[in-house]
Amino acid sequence: MTEISTSTVILGLGELIRCKRQEKQMTLQQLSDLSGTPKATLSRIEIGETRSPEFRTILAIASTLDISMDEITEVYIETERSPDALFTVLKEAAPNSLPVPLIMKIATKFLAINQRETSEDSVERLYALATETKEIPPRLALFKVISEFTDDHGIRPTLAKALLQSYLIERDDFTRLNETYAVGKIIIYHAKFLSVDDQITYYYKLGAHAYHLGKYEDCISHCSKIISLDTNESVHKAYAIDFTAFCHYALGRYDLAEKFNNVLKTFNIPVIQEKVDFMTAKLDGRKGDIDLAIIQLENCLDKYPHKVAVMYDLLDLYIMQKDVSAAERLFKHEKDFINVKSSYNPALVAAYAEYYTKKSEYYISIKEQAQAFHYLLESIMMFISVDRHHDASECVGMLLREAYKNPSIFGSLEIANEIESVVNYLGKM
């Protein structure tokens, strides 16, 4: 296959501009006046004499001629051999919503042809640009290119940083939390190349991710790294200890939960003290001191900004005591609930789902199946929205068991089709 010469392709750029200009019945002078580009420069570009026109000049001409950013960029980079020019294209074109594949193509070419810098310098330069890019798709695209290049060339420190940044972006997709957790765990093999601060950030994010998905042993392991790395009594370290206490509690290791809760008491951080009080109440309940636990939880309810977690535990104890009036009083606090459907915190969404599951248990206990079904459906959809399909499946099982006992409920609630669609959806997962 014959290789296209540089001058031929540059003529292609000039030819594109000339054809568009002629389509608009515009003279060189008119294009010069409208684009702010000297007529002589335009002439040289059109006949292919300018071998490396500035990208800003090309953008101004393209804008005047209504040539799309995608089209002019694709043509421009085909023959551009200057790393600085390609880098300029990335800086000026990426924020203008170029297609992700084109951004990746430009970045890959920049790294491949930049012979004047070492590979390490090139990727660091591109990494700095990626961190400055505010739009998520191009930002993620640049980190992906950097990850692939640094993996191929054995540049481990930048590979670790790029993988971490990609993970931090991708984990914000609540519908793929199981998938992105698996991606995040891969970084463990590269974590030693991160700075201590970045390691703490990484293990904290991964620990919170594991906790949300109910991977409590994983969470304990990730948080142990933070506890050993962080020599100060920082917020991250406090939260790592808090996560560890709650994981041990969830696993039924109440002695270890109490041990870590006692360590947490030494931190002078207001939000952490609230968590200490909450765990203390939960542990007292497990020890059988229900009345004390209820008093403590009711005190927590007044102080906690996110009341739903406390309300879950309180409702559990009220159901245990068959205290209907206390449960009904508790429901009045729901007026303080936030609009969780617009929340960017998957753990908080899951906490609401768990609460509504517990609330459905309450309504089942007082034989109000219609209300029980309503809150179970609410729970199912919330669990699905944050990729906790196992919990959603358990709720479906609970719902179907109750429906079997009370088949007439389908007619009164008109939810048979909705339940069937949820069951079918979960069956495909």
Side-chain angles (χ1 to χ4, degrees):
M1 186 173 178
T2 306
E3 211 173 281
I4 300 174
S5 71
T6 300
S7 60
T8 302
V9 183
I10 287 186
L11 186 59
L13 174 64
E15 202 167 358
L16 171 66
I17 291 171
R18 184 172 66 250
C19 288
K20 292 288 186 181
R21 175 175 63 78
Q22 290 173 348
E23 280 178 17
K24 290 184 172 291
Q25 299 181 338
M26 193 181 292
T27 65
L28 274 174
Q29 187 60 56
Q30 287 172 325
L31 179 57
S32 173
D33 293 339
L34 291 170
S35 68
T37 307
K39 181 179 175 182
T41 301
L42 285 171
S43 179
R44 287 195 297 273
I45 290 173
E46 285 195 355
I47 65 176
E49 284 186 357
T50 300
R51 294 199 168 271
S52 190
E54 286 190 4
F55 188 59
R56 281 182 192 162
T57 300
I58 297 301
L59 284 183
I61 297 167
S63 176
T64 304
L65 296 173
D66 296 324
I67 304 173
S68 72
M69 171 76 76
D70 301 2
E71 184 179 5
I72 200 68
T73 303
E74 185 77 61
V75 174
Y76 182 81
I77 68 168
E78 279 303 316
T79 56
E80 185 54 66
R81 293 292 181 267
S82 164
D84 288 338
L86 288 171
F87 195 76
T88 298
V89 174
L90 286 171
K91 286 176 67 176
E92 298 185 6
N96 290 285
S97 302
L98 279 182
V100 164
L102 183 53
I103 292 172
M104 296 180 78
K105 181 178 180 180
I106 301 167
T108 301
K109 188 172 182 180
F110 164 75
L111 292 175
I113 70 172
N114 198 353
Q115 302 299 322
R116 289 181 299 174
E117 297 179 343
T118 65
S119 294
E120 289 86 348
D121 290 337
S122 295
V123 294
E124 282 298 328
R125 191 176 173 194
L126 193 59
Y127 181 88
L129 175 62
T131 58
E132 294 167 4
T133 302
K134 298 192 184 308
E135 294 78 10
I136 295 301
R139 180 184 176 95
L140 182 58
L142 292 174
F143 285 129
K144 293 289 187 184
V145 170
I146 293 167
S147 298
E148 185 174 341
F149 184 87
T150 52
D151 194 21
D152 288 343
H153 290 75
I155 308 173
R156 299 303 173 200
T158 313
L159 170 61
K161 291 193 299 182
L163 288 173
L164 173 58
Q165 293 304 321
S166 294
Y167 166 64
L168 294 179
I169 293 170
E170 292 183 299
R171 75 192 285 275
D172 285 340
D173 184 350
F174 298 167
T175 63
R176 298 172 51 238
L177 286 171
N178 277 286
E179 180 185 339
T180 56
Y181 178 70
V183 172
K185 281 187 72 175
I186 294 171
I187 303 173
I188 287 174
Y189 302 108
H190 308 279
K192 65 182 179 181
F193 295 103
L194 295 168
S195 68
V196 172
D197 285 346
D198 280 348
Q199 286 185 57
I200 291 171
T201 296
Y202 166 61
Y203 284 116
Y204 175 74
K205 296 292 186 179
L206 195 65
H209 202 155
Y211 181 81
H212 165 68
L213 293 173
K215 299 179 184 294
Y216 298 123
E217 295 289 10
D218 277 13
C219 180
I220 291 169
S221 175
H222 303 325
C223 288
S224 70
K225 299 287 198 309
I226 302 170
I227 295 168
S228 62
L229 284 166
D230 195 338
T231 57
N232 301 311
E233 291 194 353
S234 69
V235 172
H236 273 149
K237 186 170 186 175
Y239 273 111
I241 296 169
D242 179 56
F243 275 135
T244 303
F246 272 85
C247 285
H248 283 304
Y249 182 91
L251 292 166
R253 302 168 187 161
Y254 305 121
D255 54 338
L256 286 173
E258 186 165 25
K259 173 187 171 183
F260 280 93
N261 196 49
N262 287 336
V263 173
L264 208 55
K265 290 177 181 178
T266 64
F267 284 74
N268 187 25
I269 303 173
V271 68
I272 295 300
Q273 290 304 314
E274 293 174 5
K275 292 179 176 294
V276 168
D277 294 342
F278 184 33
M279 177 54 74
T280 299
K282 289 168 71 73
L283 288 167
D284 284 337
R286 283 294 173 182
K287 292 173 185 176
D289 201 338
I290 305 299
D291 291 337
L292 176 60
I294 287 174
I295 292 170
Q296 291 172 324
L297 287 169
E298 287 175 345
N299 287 334
C300 288
L301 192 60
D302 293 331
K303 296 186 291 184
Y304 255 50
H306 299 312
K307 301 181 183 299
V308 66
V310 181
M311 289 177 68
Y312 174 95
D313 281 276
L314 270 172
L315 185 55
D316 188 44
L317 295 179
Y318 292 152
I319 293 171
M320 195 183 302
Q321 292 192 325
K322 299 181 179 179
D323 193 337
V324 174
S325 61
E328 295 295 334
R329 287 197 305 273
L330 183 68
F331 297 153
K332 293 178 181 178
H333 287 277
E334 291 179 8
K335 63 178 173 47
D336 298 322
F337 280 2
I338 65 169
N339 179 12
V340 73
K341 291 180 181 178
S342 63
S343 172
Y344 290 96
N345 184 340
L348 187 59
V349 175
Y352 276 78
E354 289 165 350
Y355 169 72
Y356 287 130
T357 302
K358 183 60 65 177
K359 192 170 181 179
S360 72
E361 287 180 29
Y362 165 75
Y363 282 117
I364 289 171
S365 72
I366 62 172
K367 311 298 184 187
E368 290 191 19
Q369 278 77 18
Q371 287 283 56
F373 270 50
H374 168 75
Y375 286 109
L376 271 174
L377 281 172
E378 192 81 11
S379 299
I380 290 166
M381 301 316 296
M382 284 186 172
F383 278 132
I384 289 173
S385 73
V386 290
D387 203 19
R388 283 182 47 166
H389 295 94
H390 174 73
D391 298 279
S393 296
E394 288 188 352
C395 289
V396 169
M398 182 178 171
L399 187 150
L400 293 177
R401 285 192 296 274
E402 290 304 311
Y404 180 77
K405 296 175 188 175
N406 303 276
S408 63
I409 201 69
F410 284 109
S412 61
L413 283 180
E414 298 180 351
I415 59 171
N417 290 335
E418 193 169 351
I419 292 173
E420 184 179 4
S421 66
V422 169
V423 172
N424 290 337
Y425 173 80
L426 290 170
K428 295 175 185 177
M429 301 308 294

